[in-house]
Amino acid sequence: MQSYLSELFAKQNTSSNNFFLMAGPCVIESEEVIMATAEKVVAICDKLNIPLIFKSSYRKANRSRLDSFSGIGDEKALKILAKVRDAFGVPLVTDIHDASEAAMASEYVDVLQIPAFLCRQTDILVAAAKTGKIVNVKKGQFLAPESMIFAVDKITQSNNDKIMLTDRGTMFGYHDLIVDYRGIPTMQNLGVPVVMDCTHSLQQPNTTSGVTGGNPQMIETICRAAIAVGADGLFIETHPDPAHAKSDGANMLNLALLEPLMVKLTKLRQVVNTL
């Protein structure tokens, strides 16, 4: 595991032989939901020796419709997210949507995430790099895995080598995504940890209703395949009640299903490590 990740996870006293998990609700919709989810996710990861980065977006900038929920206010949401670190001692990740947001968000979190649609935007990559935080760049749905070398180069040339890449599927027609698992070793060959986004890769975007659909029944399939090919980490959005979540409920994992899934994946990782 890269030294910056080992340092990030040092307080969690977990094994570097396991995958790490980036998990939490899609967006901060209330303190109650965030804290309840964090308590459960932290307990699962402690039990199974899984390094955790807790995730939630302070705002969702990429919405299909103007009336879609986007957030409760940036600073208010970030302060709620910071309470997770204060209460549970885990690192945090959140998305930024513009170069001007990098400095603000970096005051609250440990990892800045660049959304897939923005992975080619030079100014946002450079701004994130200059904060000195770890930068997690999601591979664009429109890019080949090897093309992510240019995102990596922009960050390293901005004097930051703390980089992760996340695959979240590739567009397959107008309403679906597919995952090409060759992309995981391809991006690992760029010298950075690679994460599989097991929930957004199951989105069904561009629906006529203007609300993104999903196929959460396949989350375990995506997770198992990612572990089998050697992904360094998994990204899973989870919520206590996805049907009533204010964003991406159609493809989030029900929180009640997280522990049994992590049990299976931890066992699978142990097998993979012996091969």
Side-chain angles (χ1 to χ4, degrees):
M1 185 179 293
Q2 272 80 351
S3 60
Y4 54 88
L5 287 180
S6 297
E7 182 179 345
L8 188 70
F9 297 135
K11 294 181 180 179
Q12 298 185 48
N13 193 30
T14 51
S15 171
S16 61
N17 290 326
N18 209 348
F19 59 89
F20 64 89
L21 178 65
M22 305 171 75
C26 176
V27 65
I28 297 168
E29 54 190 63
S30 73
E31 182 172 341
E32 179 183 10
V33 169
I34 289 295
M35 298 305 289
T37 304
E39 182 177 16
K40 180 67 172 178
V41 174
V42 169
I44 293 168
C45 289
D46 285 348
K47 179 179 179 180
L48 298 175
N49 206 28
I50 301 171
L52 172 66
I53 306 174
F54 187 79
K55 183 270 169 185
S56 197
S57 300
Y58 59 88
R59 173 163 43 87
K60 300 301 291 185
N62 179 16
R63 304 284 82 189
S64 296
R65 298 186 340 198
L66 191 59
D67 61 352
S68 296
F69 178 81
S70 60
I72 60 174
D74 293 356
E75 188 173 5
K76 180 180 179 181
L78 284 165
K79 287 181 177 179
I80 291 172
L81 190 57
K83 288 183 178 181
V84 172
R85 181 169 50 203
D86 294 341
F88 302 106
V90 294
L92 308 171
V93 58
T94 198
D95 309 86
I96 60 173
H97 319 91
D98 186 84
S100 63
E101 299 177 16
M104 172 191 69
S106 69
E107 294 182 8
Y108 296 90
V109 302
D110 307 276
V111 182
L112 295 176
Q113 183 166 281
I114 310 302
F117 282 122
L118 300 175
C119 70
R120 287 177 51 117
Q121 296 300 107
T122 300
D123 57 349
I124 195 170
L125 291 169
V126 171
K130 288 183 175 179
T131 67
K133 300 290 185 177
I134 298 171
V135 183
N136 179 37
V137 188
K138 288 196 170 184
K139 182 190 79 66
Q141 303 93 321
F142 46 85
L143 284 180
E146 54 267 30
S147 296
M148 291 301 289
I149 183 60
F150 303 110
V152 171
D153 284 347
K154 289 174 183 178
I155 296 169
T156 57
Q157 290 169 21
S158 301
N159 300 313
N160 187 338
D161 61 359
K162 296 182 288 187
I163 305 164
M164 300 189 295
L165 298 178
T166 295
D167 196 340
R168 49 96 72 235
T170 302
M171 289 303 301
F172 184 67
Y174 291 117
H175 302 293
D176 206 1
L177 298 161
I178 58 169
V179 177
D180 180 354
Y181 286 95
R182 296 175 299 177
I184 292 175
T186 297
M187 291 191 289
Q188 286 172 328
N189 286 336
L190 303 179
V192 299
V194 174
V195 178
M196 184 69 234
D197 184 339
C198 304
T199 46
H200 287 100
S201 59
L202 291 166
Q203 282 183 334
Q204 295 171 334
N206 306 320
T207 62
T208 54
S209 68
V211 177
T212 297
N215 187 9
Q217 295 84 359
M218 297 296 290
I219 290 173
E220 181 173 334
T221 300
I222 298 293
C223 289
R224 289 165 68 105
I227 295 299
V229 299
D232 299 286
L234 300 177
F235 180 106
I236 297 176
E237 288 190 338
T238 184
H239 190 283
D241 186 8
H244 293 95
K246 295 184 178 181
S247 176
D248 277 4
N251 49 267
M252 276 195 283
L253 180 71
N254 190 303
L255 185 58
L257 302 177
L258 183 63
E259 182 170 356
L261 176 59
M262 291 300 106
V263 169
K264 292 179 183 179
L265 297 177
T266 299
K267 291 179 179 178
L268 179 59
R269 179 59 175 250
Q270 290 172 351
V271 172
V272 170
N273 286 342
T274 67
L275 300 178

